[in-house]
Amino acid sequence: MQDVLRGHLEKIIPLTDEEFAFIEPHFLLRKYKKHQFLIQEGMPVKYVYFVVSGLLKLVHTDDSGKQQIISFALEDWWESDYQAFYTQSEATFSLDCVEDSTVLCLSLESYQTLCASLPKMEHFFLEKANRGYMALQRRLLALMTTQAQERYEQLLKQHPALVQRVPKTLLASYLGVSRETLSRFSA
Amino acid sequence: MQDVLRGHLEKIIPLTDEEFAFIEPHFLLRKYKKHQFLIQEGMPVKYVYFVVSGLLKLVHTDDSGKQQIISFALEDWWESDYQAFYTQSEATFSLDCVEDSTVLCLSLESYQTLCASLPKMEHFFLEKANRGYMALQRRLLALMTTQAQERYEQLLKQHPALVQRVPKTLLASYLGVSRETLSRFSA
DNA sequence: GCTTTCAAGTGATGTAGATCACATTCAGGC
DNA sequence: GCCTGAATGTGATCTACATCACTTGAAAGC
């Protein structure tokens, strides 16, 4: 199971067996069922999660109770309420399972230990953060410039698997469009 | 002038004089006039920029020629077309001066040298990347959930100085709203 | 000083997409 | 096998905001 993690890390930083032997015990393997929460709004955030299998959604609930999907986390993705995680404060997002999922949990302490003792790991996280930043920038731009229907079509192209796995209601929320409007696009 | 840089770095990582003496020569000081371009769409991106003084805007131009402001870069901000910078490919954004500006330029080679030889620097950039990511996430959320007028009011609260310094037309583009609509809010 | 350009306000009209309301189909729990 | 709730489709109406068209005022260039 941890092989997945090693493969994932080694896409960016090659590791010796000793190094991986040092890294691996910092992660905690956990399984969650569909609809279970990994993070709940208002609660402390203990971990950042690496998705081994399954599918999570990161959600924000506004004052009027409406839910917005900030992002989906598929296999091989890292997810958390980073703000709350890094500052060890209360979650403003919730993270829960769209499907039964297996994740690896990394505590802030372990995260810091890994970064401090293995520059490679810090490099790995920097790389991930940068890519995440660039991806968000593109998403922001798309949200500002592109019509809802085109955004949907681009999602279909770029993540056809995701569209298959996720109810349209959730896709709509992710795309920033109402359920009804999204439904009218399929035609 | 480089004092500004040292102060900025030391907000996150304390440095010895020797360390800073090693870091500093990697930066190139440059001055630009209002309307001058640091990065032009279609051209290679040589540097990431640290703004010592002045104000820059990162802009995307779509097929129909319309401009969207991805972000502003005030004093103490880092900016570039990161995608193009890291992959040493052609810019899809342009970066130009809203006001006369002084910047420090860091090449990819120097960036990599700094990260490789000083783990502190890698840590610094990781910290910056993470904060940038979280800020973008909040902006994305605001764009999806909040009305244009409220977004404007929040900008007024959070960056009153920016609103003073920047023509409304540019603010509108940054907020993802038309010039005319923004104008009707002031009343 | 004059002209040209840029920033900004404002009315009239158009439209993407929200919201509300209801029908239908489908999967799961017991 | 029945019942309940989720997921989806679809019509009618409403609204935030875009777009177009024009005016005014102020700054910049020569």
Side-chain angles (χ1 to χ4, degrees):
Chain A
M1 195 63 81
Q2 322 298 77
D3 301 351
V4 181
L5 178 64
R6 181 161 185 175
H8 177 73
L9 295 173
E10 295 215 85
K11 273 180 216 156
I12 292 177
I13 47 163
L15 295 170
T16 65
D17 288 349
E18 296 81 55
E19 283 168 339
F20 187 67
F22 174 75
I23 293 168
E24 194 249 287
H26 283 98
F27 287 85
L28 192 62
L29 185 71
R30 288 232 183 122
K31 284 165 189 285
Y32 292 89
K33 290 270 164 203
K34 190 170 169 171
H35 295 135
Q36 262 193 303
F37 284 83
L38 287 74
I39 295 174
Q40 249 172 311
E41 279 179 64
M43 304 291 284
V45 177
K46 288 195 62 177
Y47 303 107
V48 55
Y49 300 92
F50 173 72
V51 183
V52 175
S53 71
L55 175 54
L56 314 175
K57 64 190 212 293
L58 186 69
V59 174
H60 178 259
T61 309
D62 69 19
D63 311 327
S64 71
K66 256 180 249 162
Q67 299 209 329
Q68 286 293 329
I69 295 190
I70 312 284
S71 84
F72 290 110
L74 282 159
E75 288 86 3
D76 259 35
W77 285 56
W78 295 80
E79 198 59 89
S80 191
D81 179 338
Y82 289 107
Q83 174 90 38
F85 174 74
Y86 288 122
T87 64
Q88 292 288 286
S89 53
E90 290 178 0
T92 56
F93 301 148
S94 68
L95 182 63
D96 67 276
C97 297
V98 177
E99 306 170 354
D100 294 358
S101 301
T102 303
V103 300
L104 291 168
C105 315
L106 182 67
S107 70
L108 184 60
E109 207 191 326
S110 282
Y111 168 84
Q112 284 165 345
T113 306
L114 285 181
C115 284
S117 38
L118 264 178
K120 271 185 199 176
M121 283 304 288
E122 189 134 64
H123 182 73
F124 173 84
F125 287 119
L126 174 56
E127 198 71 22
K128 280 285 151 193
N130 278 146
R131 291 181 196 188
Y133 184 82
M134 295 185 285
L136 262 192
Q137 236 180 19
R138 284 192 298 277
R139 189 159 154 226
L140 189 83
L141 188 62
L143 201 62
M144 289 201 293
T145 57
T146 317
Q147 305 266 109
Q149 179 151 14
E150 207 179 317
R151 261 154 34 220
Y152 178 54
E153 280 157 12
Q154 280 174 11
L155 186 71
L156 270 171
K157 254 186 226 160
Q158 283 163 30
H159 301 281
L162 183 71
V163 179
Q164 295 311 318
R165 287 164 69 174
V166 174
K168 297 250 168 93
T169 309
L170 297 185
L171 285 183
S173 162
Y174 174 78
L175 289 167
V177 78
S178 77
R179 215 209 85 228
E180 294 92 331
T181 300
L182 186 75
S183 162
R184 287 181 240 263
F185 292 159
S186 315
Chain B
M1 194 62 81
Q2 322 299 78
D3 301 352
V4 181
L5 177 65
R6 181 162 185 176
H8 177 74
L9 295 174
E10 295 214 86
K11 273 180 217 157
I12 292 177
I13 47 163
L15 294 170
T16 64
D17 288 349
E18 297 80 55
E19 282 168 338
F20 187 67
F22 174 74
I23 292 167
E24 193 249 287
H26 283 98
F27 288 85
L28 191 62
L29 185 72
R30 288 233 182 121
K31 285 164 187 283
Y32 291 89
K33 290 270 164 202
K34 190 168 168 171
H35 294 134
Q36 261 194 301
F37 284 84
L38 286 73
I39 295 175
Q40 250 173 309
E41 277 179 65
M43 303 292 283
V45 177
K46 287 195 63 177
Y47 303 105
V48 55
Y49 300 92
F50 172 73
V51 182
V52 175
S53 71
L55 174 54
L56 313 175
K57 65 189 210 295
L58 186 69
V59 175
H60 178 260
T61 309
D62 69 19
D63 311 326
S64 71
K66 257 180 248 160
Q67 298 209 329
Q68 287 293 330
I69 295 191
I70 313 284
S71 85
F72 289 109
L74 282 158
E75 288 84 5
D76 259 33
W77 285 54
W78 295 81
E79 199 57 89
S80 190
D81 178 337
Y82 289 107
Q83 174 88 40
F85 174 74
Y86 288 123
T87 63
Q88 292 288 285
S89 53
E90 289 178 1
T92 55
F93 302 149
S94 67
L95 182 63
D96 67 276
C97 297
V98 177
E99 307 170 354
D100 294 358
S101 302
T102 303
V103 298
L104 290 168
C105 315
L106 181 66
S107 70
L108 183 61
E109 207 192 325
S110 282
Y111 167 84
Q112 284 164 344
T113 305
L114 285 180
C115 285
S117 37
L118 265 177
K120 272 184 197 175
M121 282 304 289
E122 190 135 64
H123 183 73
F124 173 83
F125 286 119
L126 174 56
E127 197 72 24
K128 279 285 148 192
N130 277 147
R131 292 181 194 188
Y133 183 83
M134 296 185 284
L136 261 192
Q137 235 178 20
R138 285 192 298 277
R139 188 158 155 226
L140 189 81
L141 187 63
L143 201 61
M144 288 202 292
T145 57
T146 318
Q147 305 264 110
Q149 179 152 14
E150 207 178 318
R151 259 152 38 219
Y152 178 54
E153 280 156 13
Q154 280 173 11
L155 186 71
L156 270 170
K157 254 186 225 159
Q158 283 163 30
H159 299 281
L162 183 72
V163 178
Q164 294 312 317
R165 287 164 69 174
V166 173
K168 297 249 168 95
T169 310
L170 297 185
L171 285 183
S173 162
Y174 174 78
L175 289 167
V177 78
S178 76
R179 216 208 84 231
E180 294 92 331
T181 299
L182 186 74
S183 162
R184 287 180 241 263
F185 292 158
S186 314

